[in-house]
Amino acid sequence: MATDNPDFPDFPDFPDDSAVPESAMAAPSADAEYATPEGFRSGFVSFVGRPNTGKSTLTNALVGEKIAITANQPETTRHPIRGIVNRPDAQVILVDTPGLHRPRTLLGERLNEMVKETYSDVDVICLCIPADEKIGPGDRWIVEAVRAAAPNTPIVGVVTKLDKTPKDQVGAQLLELHEMLDQADVVPVSATKEVQLDVLLDVLTKHLPEGPRFYPEGHITDDDQNTRMAELIREAALTGLHEELPHSVAVQIDEVLQNPTREGVLNVHAVIFVEREGQKAILRGKDGRRLSKTVHDARQQIMALVGQNVYLDVRLKVAKNWQSDPKQLGRLGF
């Protein structure tokens, strides 16, 4: 496949065996925000792959703004996040899903089911494989799951983390992924360096059906503000954590209201849930310093999101074994 960046080699062109779905062009909306030219394409694209393969980072890079949190720990994404890419010829709606994995808890099972349900509602599925990791049984298991859940949905292979990998290794990874996906389109990208992002969007667009905008031009996500704030707090809390603790952290926004005495200040009250008292102590840190840093870091991001000064109040609570408790999972939105 040809590249558009002189710093990376030209990869072999692969035959295009995928058929572009055909659908009648919907009547344009009277609202100018939804107006589209003839031949406009629109649809939903789901990023799937093992945990920690760069799906959220790629989503943010394509949208051009941070809508999905990122962390070094796997299984960071907890719900499908829709990012909207508006182009002159298309509206591409990216659905960043939790990574498919062999679940160890009821939460893991529910996340997997959520991902599989997403397959049936999208027009294209992108399988993300890091360039610096060998394709293994877990990747093949995901391909089998995708094909079983959505046998007629085209799959595009995406080799991520291009900038971290030698060129010959990238080429070998592309060829192996191309073969594993039965000669489907494959695209190498670097989200952090913004390499090949336009090429990927071109490939995705050609697989989308003709149709109107689903969202007004200028929208970048359909996530509500409270969900985005909760995710930013969780990202700040996860920073630097290791082992099992990241999976035990959940965040809920309790209340958001304008400060009654300080004009222009938004009060945000949130709760971080963990499963055990020991985890609570870890998140608080010595003399409360770790929790103070979490609040500071999250507050900066929330202020950028809401565009005003924020007073952020974060409390820690124990919800014992919430990952395996159906009632508690329901209260936390899973």
Side-chain angles (χ1 to χ4, degrees), residues 140-257:
R140 293 182 174 86
W141 176 77
I142 290 171
V143 172
E144 291 174 5
V146 168
R147 286 179 171 151
N152 299 318
T153 303
I155 301 176
V156 171
V158 181
V159 174
T160 61
K161 306 182 181 181
L162 176 62
D163 55 301
K164 295 183 177 181
T165 314
K167 296 174 183 178
D168 56 346
Q169 186 176 335
V170 173
Q173 191 84 318
L174 287 167
L175 289 169
E176 186 174 355
L177 181 58
H178 180 61
E179 182 178 349
M180 184 174 75
L181 296 181
D182 297 328
Q183 284 67 57
D185 287 327
V186 296
V187 184
V189 301
S190 168
T192 56
K193 301 295 185 182
E194 299 186 355
V195 175
Q196 292 269 107
L197 298 185
D198 284 342
V199 174
L200 176 58
L201 285 172
D202 287 343
V203 171
L204 297 179
T205 297
K206 80 172 184 178
H207 286 290
L208 296 180
E210 292 188 359
R213 298 184 193 276
F214 288 92
Y215 298 92
E217 191 171 8
H219 279 218
I220 61 166
T221 182
D222 67 350
D223 258 358
D224 65 87
Q225 186 168 278
N226 280 12
T227 298
R228 295 183 72 185
M229 288 193 293
E231 287 291 270
L232 291 172
I233 295 168
R234 187 162 66 91
E235 180 183 49
L238 291 177
T239 303
L241 294 179
H242 303 287
E243 305 302 331
E244 292 300 314
L245 183 54
H247 311 309
S248 300
V249 175
V251 178
Q252 265 193 339
I253 301 296
D254 261 359
E255 189 177 44
V256 179
L257 68 165

Side-chain angles (χ1 to χ4, degrees), residues 78-108:
R78 290 266 178 83
H79 70 283
I81 298 166
R82 289 179 179 175
I84 303 160
V85 180
N86 291 291
R87 310 183 88 199
D89 60 341
Q91 186 175 76
V92 185
I93 302 156
L94 308 173
V95 186
D96 178 26
T97 61
L100 267 177
H101 61 287
R102 299 186 187 277
R104 296 169 290 113
T105 64
L106 180 58
L107 172 64

Side-chain angles (χ1 to χ4, degrees), residues 56-70 81-85 94 194 218-221 228 232 301 304-306:
S56 296
T57 302
L58 181 56
T59 298
N60 291 337
L62 291 169
V63 172
E65 185 173 322
K66 181 175 181 175
I67 62 166
I69 68 170
T70 58
I81 298 166
R82 289 179 179 175
I84 303 160
V85 180
L94 308 173
E194 299 186 355
H219 279 218
I220 61 166
T221 182
R228 295 183 72 185
L232 291 172
Q301 299 241 39
L305 172 65
V306 301

